Amino acid sequence: MLTMEHAVSTRLRENPGILEERMNTRITEMLGIEYPIIQGGMAWVAEHNLAAAVSEAGGLGLIGGANAPGEVVREEIRKARELDKEAFWCQCYAC
């Protein structure tokens, strides 16, 4: 099954000219990303594969930790780091 992160990464790799110039904005400079794309924290979808794909493509990927147990969130962060060395964000709630 083709996943969204695979489709996005594949399209960018196959068409490198699709995003020819880096977009310099206050957000891209502040976050150290290439494009002002920030992935939303979608429950049950924003996991390590999607976060790594968005970050690899030049945006800011997000791991939606929400109220998941700490060990689950740590494991998602570890897996994201294995896939991509770019910056990503982890959304967690503290109660």
Side-chain angles (χ1 to χ4, degrees):
M1 181 167 84
L2 183 64
T3 60
M4 178 62 78
E5 64 268 15
H6 178 74
V8 170
S9 293
T10 301
R11 181 164 164 84
L12 289 173
R13 270 196 298 274
E14 291 174 355
N15 302 291
I18 199 168
L19 298 171
E20 291 182 12
E21 296 182 23
R22 180 184 170 118
M23 300 174 110
N24 290 316
T25 67
R26 289 176 65 193
I27 289 292
T28 60
E29 291 174 12
M30 183 172 56
L31 298 176
I33 56 180
E34 292 181 60
Y35 307 104
I37 298 171
I38 301 174
Q39 176 196 330
M42 302 165 284
W44 306 108
V45 177
E47 42 82 58
H48 70 278
N49 288 307
L50 182 58
V54 171
S55 294
E56 182 180 320
L60 181 64
L62 178 138
I63 295 172
N67 10 345
E71 188 52 44
V72 171
V73 176
R74 280 189 288 279
E75 183 66 12
E76 286 295 310
I77 291 170
R78 186 189 63 72
K79 289 177 181 178
R81 286 182 176 153
E82 287 176 2
L83 292 174
D84 186 38
K85 301 300 181 197
E86 299 299 324
F88 60 89
W89 172 29
C90 186
Q91 174 190 22
C92 299
Y93 299 114
C95 297

